[in-house]
Amino acid sequence: MQGGFLIKDNSSLQRTNEWLEQRKGRFTGSKIKDLMGCGRSTAQKPWGSIEKIYDFGATCERYIYKVGKERTTGVRDMDVSSQQMEYGKLNEPLLVQQLLKNGIISNFEEVPFLEFPNYSNGGASADGKAIFKGELVGLELKCTTSWDGHYNRMYEPVHDKHDDFWQFQSEMLALGVDKLLYVVAYPGTVEKYDYNIVNASPLHQKLILERCKIADAAIELWDEYSYKEALKIAIANYKSENQ
């Protein structure tokens, strides 16, 4: 404890072998964007329209295949780290300390992988939770390596086509908070950064859970049907049950 703020040591609740095992065979926040991928025919339609809910695009299909294979075989993807991921892993704890030092947040606490409410096959790992302007918020940090990456994350509107929108929604859903503080550091430093507050969207969070459950139903049909056929049947069944 330092200055009333919770500072943990260099050990992490995330990116450990245990953390990777917890995520195996589950739909996770950093990849939820893929689960929400649609085909071209509904790309411009708003979320909530019937056609879009049931339009599972190619990226979505590949992600369901990956999660399903991990779940049914017990074998997860190999953990392959990029230079950018390693940079973030090393610098995100320093960015937290900078935010605490500057008084942007207080009472920071790292969090483990958390399941979605009443749903064990999906969850998310925010970078933590903290107090921001007297309110408990989720915390998501990005340590960028280029101004292009900074622009894409900070100055593109945070809507459902933003790079991190679905991750934000899944993290708030798992944490049970209504707001998330999104901090993007300048390239190569943690001393300078920008930040925004992102609000939870009950509609989009509901759709995340709906897609997860349709995907679960498809995976359960793999013993009887081919992968693509199982997905078609699961979508048709869900559509019939919810009309």
Side-chain angles (χ1 to χ4, degrees):
M1 187 76 67
Q2 177 181 332
F5 302 136
L6 181 61
I7 304 285
K8 295 205 170 189
D9 58 24
N10 289 331
S11 62
S12 176
L13 297 175
Q14 299 183 17
R15 300 185 178 91
T16 62
N17 187 65
E18 180 182 3
W19 179 78
L20 292 169
E21 281 294 309
Q22 288 175 332
R23 291 160 54 89
K24 182 175 68 180
R26 288 168 155 176
F27 300 103
T28 61
S30 60
K31 299 292 288 182
I32 286 292
K33 178 183 177 182
D34 291 346
L35 182 67
M36 306 311 293
C38 296
R40 292 182 180 178
S41 63
T42 64
Q44 302 306 316
K45 291 182 181 292
W47 278 101
S49 63
I50 298 299
E51 302 94 331
K52 196 175 184 78
I53 295 173
Y54 302 118
D55 184 13
F56 285 50
T59 300
C60 176
E61 290 183 0
R62 291 178 70 89
Y63 181 49
I64 295 171
Y65 181 82
K66 177 259 188 192
V67 171
K69 279 296 185 182
E70 287 188 342
R71 191 181 300 175
T72 57
T73 67
V75 178
R76 70 170 191 254
D77 276 354
M78 292 178 62
D79 182 26
V80 180
S81 297
S82 67
Q83 185 176 3
Q84 189 167 353
M85 288 173 63
E86 287 301 315
Y87 176 78
K89 182 178 179 179
L90 290 171
N91 285 278
E92 284 171 8
L94 301 178
L95 180 54
V96 169
Q97 293 192 31
Q98 190 67 43
L99 294 170
L100 290 166
K101 178 182 177 181
N102 294 348
I104 304 298
I105 61 172
S106 64
N107 297 88
F108 168 79
E109 182 179 349
E110 188 181 10
V111 296
F113 176 82
L114 298 173
E115 295 177 357
F116 294 142
N118 304 312
Y119 178 73
S120 62
N121 282 335
S125 305
D127 288 318
K129 57 184 178 181
I131 301 298
F132 173 75
K133 295 185 177 180
E135 187 173 4
L136 179 66
V137 299
L139 185 65
E140 181 60 31
L141 310 171
K142 301 295 181 184
C143 293
T144 60
T145 57
S146 69
W147 282 114
D148 184 56
H150 184 276
Y151 179 89
N152 289 341
R153 296 184 184 282
M154 185 51 56
Y155 292 110
E156 290 290 340
V158 181
H159 50 55
D160 57 40
K161 291 184 172 56
H162 185 277
D163 282 349
D164 301 310
F165 174 83
W166 291 106
Q167 180 180 357
F168 295 158
Q169 295 303 325
S170 63
E171 289 177 352
M172 286 185 279
L173 178 62
L175 281 168
V177 297
D178 295 326
K179 294 182 179 180
L180 181 136
L181 179 64
Y182 180 42
V183 185
V184 182
Y186 289 12
T189 182
V190 297
E191 295 180 350
K192 295 184 178 181
Y193 47 81
D194 291 308
Y195 60 84
N196 282 326
I197 278 287
V198 181
N199 294 313
S201 169
L203 168 64
H204 293 92
Q205 292 178 354
K206 176 176 179 289
L207 295 174
I208 288 172
L209 292 174
E210 285 191 7
R211 282 222 165 180
C212 284
K213 291 173 183 177
I214 294 171
D216 285 342
I219 293 168
E220 290 175 3
L221 292 170
W222 281 9
D223 288 340
E224 302 176 59
Y225 302 95
S226 68
Y227 164 62
K228 284 187 177 283
E229 190 176 7
L231 184 56
K232 288 180 181 178
I233 293 170
I235 293 171
N237 288 344
Y238 194 87
K239 187 185 298 185
S240 175
E241 292 169 2
N242 290 274
Q243 282 182 342

Short mmCIF file of all heavy atoms in Angstrom, two decimals, residues 3-42:
data_model
loop_
_atom_site.label_atom_id
_atom_site.label_comp_id
_atom_site.label_asym_id
_atom_site.label_seq_id
_atom_site.Cartn_x
_atom_site.Cartn_y
_atom_site.Cartn_z
N GLY A 3 0.64 5.52 -0.31
CA GLY A 3 -0.18 6.72 -0.44
C GLY A 3 -1.65 6.45 -0.52
O GLY A 3 -2.40 7.17 -1.17
N GLY A 4 -2.11 5.34 0.12
CA GLY A 4 -3.53 5.01 0.07
C GLY A 4 -3.94 4.28 -1.18
O GLY A 4 -5.10 3.97 -1.37
N PHE A 5 -2.98 3.97 -2.07
CA PHE A 5 -3.28 3.30 -3.31
C PHE A 5 -2.78 1.86 -3.25
O PHE A 5 -1.74 1.58 -2.66
CB PHE A 5 -2.60 4.00 -4.49
CG PHE A 5 -2.99 5.45 -4.63
CD1 PHE A 5 -2.02 6.42 -4.89
CD2 PHE A 5 -4.30 5.84 -4.51
CE1 PHE A 5 -2.37 7.74 -5.02
CE2 PHE A 5 -4.66 7.17 -4.64
CZ PHE A 5 -3.70 8.13 -4.89
N LEU A 6 -3.51 0.96 -3.88
CA LEU A 6 -3.12 -0.44 -3.88
C LEU A 6 -2.15 -0.68 -5.02
O LEU A 6 -2.51 -0.60 -6.18
CB LEU A 6 -4.37 -1.33 -4.05
CG LEU A 6 -4.12 -2.83 -4.05
CD1 LEU A 6 -3.52 -3.25 -2.72
CD2 LEU A 6 -5.41 -3.57 -4.30
N ILE A 7 -0.89 -0.97 -4.68
CA ILE A 7 0.13 -1.27 -5.68
C ILE A 7 0.56 -2.70 -5.49
O ILE A 7 1.03 -3.08 -4.42
CB ILE A 7 1.37 -0.36 -5.53
CG1 ILE A 7 0.95 1.11 -5.59
CG2 ILE A 7 2.40 -0.67 -6.58
CD1 ILE A 7 0.61 1.59 -6.95
N LYS A 8 0.42 -3.51 -6.52
CA LYS A 8 0.82 -4.90 -6.40
C LYS A 8 2.24 -5.07 -6.91
O LYS A 8 2.78 -4.22 -7.60
CB LYS A 8 -0.13 -5.80 -7.19
CG LYS A 8 -1.54 -5.77 -6.60
CD LYS A 8 -2.29 -7.02 -6.93
CE LYS A 8 -3.59 -7.09 -6.16
NZ LYS A 8 -4.24 -8.38 -6.28
N ASP A 9 2.85 -6.23 -6.59
CA ASP A 9 4.20 -6.48 -7.08
C ASP A 9 4.14 -6.86 -8.56
O ASP A 9 3.11 -6.76 -9.20
CB ASP A 9 4.87 -7.59 -6.25
CG ASP A 9 4.06 -8.89 -6.27
OD1 ASP A 9 3.30 -9.08 -7.23
OD2 ASP A 9 4.21 -9.69 -5.33
N ASN A 10 5.26 -7.31 -9.10
CA ASN A 10 5.33 -7.58 -10.54
C ASN A 10 4.63 -8.86 -10.95
O ASN A 10 4.52 -9.15 -12.14
CB ASN A 10 6.80 -7.63 -10.98
CG ASN A 10 7.44 -6.25 -10.95
OD1 ASN A 10 6.75 -5.26 -11.13
ND2 ASN A 10 8.73 -6.20 -10.69
N SER A 11 4.19 -9.67 -9.96
CA SER A 11 3.43 -10.85 -10.33
C SER A 11 2.08 -10.41 -10.87
O SER A 11 1.53 -9.39 -10.46
CB SER A 11 3.25 -11.76 -9.11
OG SER A 11 2.52 -11.09 -8.11
N SER A 12 1.53 -11.19 -11.82
CA SER A 12 0.31 -10.77 -12.48
C SER A 12 -0.75 -11.85 -12.38
O SER A 12 -0.44 -13.04 -12.34
CB SER A 12 0.60 -10.47 -13.96
OG SER A 12 -0.59 -10.16 -14.65
N LEU A 13 -1.99 -11.42 -12.31
CA LEU A 13 -3.10 -12.36 -12.35
C LEU A 13 -3.41 -12.79 -13.77
O LEU A 13 -4.18 -13.72 -13.99
CB LEU A 13 -4.35 -11.71 -11.73
CG LEU A 13 -4.26 -11.31 -10.26
CD1 LEU A 13 -5.52 -10.58 -9.84
CD2 LEU A 13 -4.03 -12.53 -9.39
N GLN A 14 -2.81 -12.10 -14.75
CA GLN A 14 -3.08 -12.37 -16.15
C GLN A 14 -1.80 -12.81 -16.86
O GLN A 14 -0.69 -12.60 -16.41
CB GLN A 14 -3.65 -11.12 -16.82
CG GLN A 14 -4.97 -10.66 -16.22
CD GLN A 14 -5.56 -9.47 -16.93
OE1 GLN A 14 -5.20 -9.15 -18.06
NE2 GLN A 14 -6.50 -8.80 -16.28
N ARG A 15 -2.02 -13.46 -18.01
CA ARG A 15 -0.95 -13.94 -18.88
C ARG A 15 -0.10 -15.05 -18.24
O ARG A 15 0.98 -15.34 -18.70
CB ARG A 15 -0.06 -12.78 -19.34
CG ARG A 15 -0.81 -11.70 -20.13
CD ARG A 15 0.13 -10.63 -20.66
NE ARG A 15 -0.57 -9.64 -21.45
CZ ARG A 15 -1.09 -8.52 -20.97
NH1 ARG A 15 -0.98 -8.26 -19.66
NH2 ARG A 15 -1.71 -7.67 -21.73
N THR A 16 -0.59 -15.63 -17.17
CA THR A 16 0.06 -16.78 -16.57
C THR A 16 -0.51 -18.04 -17.23
O THR A 16 -1.53 -18.00 -17.92
CB THR A 16 -0.20 -16.84 -15.07
OG1 THR A 16 -1.62 -16.98 -14.86
CG2 THR A 16 0.29 -15.57 -14.38
N ASN A 17 0.11 -19.18 -16.98
CA ASN A 17 -0.40 -20.43 -17.53
C ASN A 17 -1.79 -20.73 -16.97
O ASN A 17 -2.68 -21.20 -17.70
CB ASN A 17 0.55 -21.58 -17.20
CG ASN A 17 0.14 -22.86 -17.90
OD1 ASN A 17 0.16 -22.95 -19.14
ND2 ASN A 17 -0.25 -23.87 -17.15
N GLU A 18 -2.00 -20.43 -15.68
CA GLU A 18 -3.32 -20.64 -15.07
C GLU A 18 -4.37 -19.78 -15.76
O GLU A 18 -5.49 -20.24 -16.02
CB GLU A 18 -3.26 -20.30 -13.59
CG GLU A 18 -4.59 -20.50 -12.87
CD GLU A 18 -4.54 -20.11 -11.41
OE1 GLU A 18 -3.48 -19.63 -10.95
OE2 GLU A 18 -5.58 -20.27 -10.72
N TRP A 19 -4.03 -18.54 -16.06
CA TRP A 19 -4.95 -17.62 -16.74
C TRP A 19 -5.29 -18.13 -18.13
O TRP A 19 -6.45 -18.11 -18.54
CB TRP A 19 -4.28 -16.24 -16.80
CG TRP A 19 -5.04 -15.16 -17.48
CD1 TRP A 19 -6.10 -14.44 -16.98
CD2 TRP A 19 -4.79 -14.62 -18.78
NE1 TRP A 19 -6.52 -13.50 -17.89
CE2 TRP A 19 -5.73 -13.58 -19.00
CE3 TRP A 19 -3.85 -14.90 -19.78
CZ2 TRP A 19 -5.76 -12.84 -20.19
CZ3 TRP A 19 -3.88 -14.17 -20.95
CH2 TRP A 19 -4.83 -13.15 -21.15
N LEU A 20 -4.29 -18.62 -18.85
CA LEU A 20 -4.52 -19.16 -20.19
C LEU A 20 -5.44 -20.39 -20.13
O LEU A 20 -6.31 -20.57 -20.99
CB LEU A 20 -3.20 -19.53 -20.85
CG LEU A 20 -2.29 -18.35 -21.22
CD1 LEU A 20 -0.90 -18.86 -21.62
CD2 LEU A 20 -2.89 -17.52 -22.34
N GLU A 21 -5.26 -21.23 -19.10
CA GLU A 21 -6.10 -22.40 -18.94
C GLU A 21 -7.54 -22.00 -18.62
O GLU A 21 -8.49 -22.64 -19.08
CB GLU A 21 -5.55 -23.30 -17.85
CG GLU A 21 -4.37 -24.15 -18.29
CD GLU A 21 -4.78 -25.18 -19.34
OE1 GLU A 21 -5.76 -25.92 -19.11
OE2 GLU A 21 -4.12 -25.22 -20.40
N GLN A 22 -7.71 -20.93 -17.84
CA GLN A 22 -9.06 -20.47 -17.51
C GLN A 22 -9.81 -20.01 -18.75
O GLN A 22 -11.03 -20.15 -18.86
CB GLN A 22 -8.99 -19.33 -16.49
CG GLN A 22 -8.60 -19.76 -15.10
CD GLN A 22 -8.44 -18.57 -14.17
OE1 GLN A 22 -8.12 -17.46 -14.58
NE2 GLN A 22 -8.68 -18.81 -12.88
N ARG A 23 -9.09 -19.45 -19.70
CA ARG A 23 -9.70 -18.92 -20.92
C ARG A 23 -9.95 -19.99 -21.99
O ARG A 23 -10.70 -19.76 -22.93
CB ARG A 23 -8.79 -17.83 -21.49
CG ARG A 23 -8.72 -16.59 -20.66
CD ARG A 23 -7.49 -15.75 -20.97
NE ARG A 23 -7.34 -15.42 -22.37
CZ ARG A 23 -7.86 -14.34 -22.96
NH1 ARG A 23 -8.56 -13.49 -22.23
NH2 ARG A 23 -7.67 -14.12 -24.24
N LYS A 24 -9.31 -21.13 -21.85
CA LYS A 24 -9.40 -22.19 -22.85
C LYS A 24 -10.84 -22.65 -23.06
O LYS A 24 -11.55 -22.96 -22.11
CB LYS A 24 -8.52 -23.38 -22.42
CG LYS A 24 -8.49 -24.53 -23.42
CD LYS A 24 -7.52 -25.60 -22.98
CE LYS A 24 -7.99 -26.30 -21.73
NZ LYS A 24 -7.04 -27.36 -21.30
N GLY A 25 -11.26 -22.69 -24.32
CA GLY A 25 -12.60 -23.16 -24.64
C GLY A 25 -13.71 -22.21 -24.26
O GLY A 25 -14.88 -22.59 -24.24
N ARG A 26 -13.34 -20.96 -23.99
CA ARG A 26 -14.33 -19.95 -23.62
C ARG A 26 -14.24 -18.76 -24.56
O ARG A 26 -13.20 -18.50 -25.16
CB ARG A 26 -14.09 -19.47 -22.19
CG ARG A 26 -14.46 -20.48 -21.11
CD ARG A 26 -13.94 -20.05 -19.77
NE ARG A 26 -14.70 -20.61 -18.67
CZ ARG A 26 -14.41 -20.45 -17.39
NH1 ARG A 26 -13.37 -19.72 -17.04
NH2 ARG A 26 -15.14 -20.99 -16.45
N PHE A 27 -15.34 -18.03 -24.65
CA PHE A 27 -15.36 -16.78 -25.42
C PHE A 27 -14.82 -15.68 -24.52
O PHE A 27 -15.32 -15.49 -23.41
CB PHE A 27 -16.77 -16.48 -25.91
CG PHE A 27 -17.32 -17.57 -26.79
CD1 PHE A 27 -18.25 -18.48 -26.30
CD2 PHE A 27 -16.88 -17.71 -28.09
CE1 PHE A 27 -18.73 -19.50 -27.09
CE2 PHE A 27 -17.36 -18.73 -28.90
CZ PHE A 27 -18.29 -19.63 -28.40
N THR A 28 -13.81 -14.97 -24.98
CA THR A 28 -13.11 -14.03 -24.11
C THR A 28 -13.13 -12.61 -24.67
O THR A 28 -13.23 -12.41 -25.88
CB THR A 28 -11.65 -14.47 -23.91
OG1 THR A 28 -10.97 -14.50 -25.17
CG2 THR A 28 -11.59 -15.86 -23.29
N GLY A 29 -12.99 -11.66 -23.76
CA GLY A 29 -13.16 -10.25 -24.11
C GLY A 29 -12.30 -9.76 -25.26
O GLY A 29 -12.78 -9.02 -26.12
N SER A 30 -11.04 -10.14 -25.29
CA SER A 30 -10.14 -9.62 -26.32
C SER A 30 -10.50 -10.14 -27.71
O SER A 30 -10.06 -9.57 -28.71
CB SER A 30 -8.69 -9.99 -25.99
OG SER A 30 -8.53 -11.39 -25.91
N LYS A 31 -11.31 -11.21 -27.78
CA LYS A 31 -11.69 -11.78 -29.08
C LYS A 31 -13.19 -11.70 -29.35
O LYS A 31 -13.65 -12.21 -30.38
CB LYS A 31 -11.24 -13.23 -29.15
CG LYS A 31 -9.74 -13.44 -29.02
CD LYS A 31 -8.98 -12.90 -30.23
CE LYS A 31 -9.19 -13.77 -31.45
NZ LYS A 31 -8.43 -13.29 -32.61
N ILE A 32 -13.94 -11.09 -28.46
CA ILE A 32 -15.39 -11.00 -28.65
C ILE A 32 -15.73 -10.26 -29.95
O ILE A 32 -16.74 -10.54 -30.59
CB ILE A 32 -16.06 -10.31 -27.44
CG1 ILE A 32 -16.09 -11.26 -26.24
CG2 ILE A 32 -17.47 -9.84 -27.77
CD1 ILE A 32 -17.02 -12.44 -26.40
N LYS A 33 -14.87 -9.34 -30.35
CA LYS A 33 -15.08 -8.65 -31.62
C LYS A 33 -15.25 -9.64 -32.76
O LYS A 33 -16.08 -9.44 -33.66
CB LYS A 33 -13.91 -7.70 -31.90
CG LYS A 33 -14.02 -6.96 -33.23
CD LYS A 33 -12.79 -6.10 -33.46
CE LYS A 33 -12.86 -5.43 -34.82
NZ LYS A 33 -11.64 -4.61 -35.11
N ASP A 34 -14.47 -10.72 -32.75
CA ASP A 34 -14.57 -11.73 -33.79
C ASP A 34 -15.92 -12.45 -33.73
O ASP A 34 -16.53 -12.75 -34.77
CB ASP A 34 -13.44 -12.75 -33.67
CG ASP A 34 -12.08 -12.16 -34.01
OD1 ASP A 34 -12.04 -11.05 -34.58
OD2 ASP A 34 -11.06 -12.80 -33.70
N LEU A 35 -16.38 -12.75 -32.51
CA LEU A 35 -17.67 -13.42 -32.36
C LEU A 35 -18.81 -12.57 -32.91
O LEU A 35 -19.81 -13.10 -33.39
CB LEU A 35 -17.93 -13.72 -30.88
CG LEU A 35 -19.22 -14.46 -30.55
CD1 LEU A 35 -19.19 -15.88 -31.10
CD2 LEU A 35 -19.47 -14.48 -29.05
N MET A 36 -18.66 -11.26 -32.86
CA MET A 36 -19.73 -10.37 -33.32
C MET A 36 -19.59 -10.01 -34.80
O MET A 36 -20.32 -9.16 -35.31
CB MET A 36 -19.73 -9.09 -32.47
CG MET A 36 -19.81 -9.33 -30.97
SD MET A 36 -21.12 -10.48 -30.45
CE MET A 36 -22.59 -9.53 -30.85
N GLY A 37 -18.68 -10.67 -35.51
CA GLY A 37 -18.51 -10.39 -36.93
C GLY A 37 -19.70 -10.86 -37.75
O GLY A 37 -20.24 -11.95 -37.54
N CYS A 38 -20.12 -10.01 -38.70
CA CYS A 38 -21.26 -10.32 -39.56
C CYS A 38 -20.81 -10.39 -41.03
O CYS A 38 -19.70 -10.02 -41.37
CB CYS A 38 -22.33 -9.25 -39.42
SG CYS A 38 -23.06 -9.15 -37.78
N GLY A 39 -21.71 -10.86 -41.87
CA GLY A 39 -21.44 -10.88 -43.30
C GLY A 39 -21.72 -9.53 -43.94
O GLY A 39 -22.22 -8.60 -43.29
N ARG A 40 -21.43 -9.44 -45.22
CA ARG A 40 -21.59 -8.17 -45.93
C ARG A 40 -23.05 -7.72 -46.00
O ARG A 40 -23.34 -6.53 -46.00
CB ARG A 40 -21.03 -8.29 -47.34
CG ARG A 40 -19.52 -8.46 -47.40
CD ARG A 40 -19.05 -8.54 -48.84
NE ARG A 40 -17.60 -8.70 -48.91
CZ ARG A 40 -16.91 -8.84 -50.05
NH1 ARG A 40 -17.58 -8.84 -51.20
NH2 ARG A 40 -15.62 -8.98 -50.03
N SER A 41 -23.96 -8.66 -46.07
CA SER A 41 -25.37 -8.30 -46.29
C SER A 41 -25.95 -7.49 -45.14
O SER A 41 -26.90 -6.72 -45.33
CB SER A 41 -26.20 -9.56 -46.51
OG SER A 41 -26.17 -10.39 -45.36
N THR A 42 -25.40 -7.65 -43.93
CA THR A 42 -25.95 -6.92 -42.79
C THR A 42 -24.94 -5.95 -42.17
O THR A 42 -25.20 -5.39 -41.10
CB THR A 42 -26.41 -7.89 -41.69
OG1 THR A 42 -25.28 -8.62 -41.18
CG2 THR A 42 -27.45 -8.86 -42.21
#
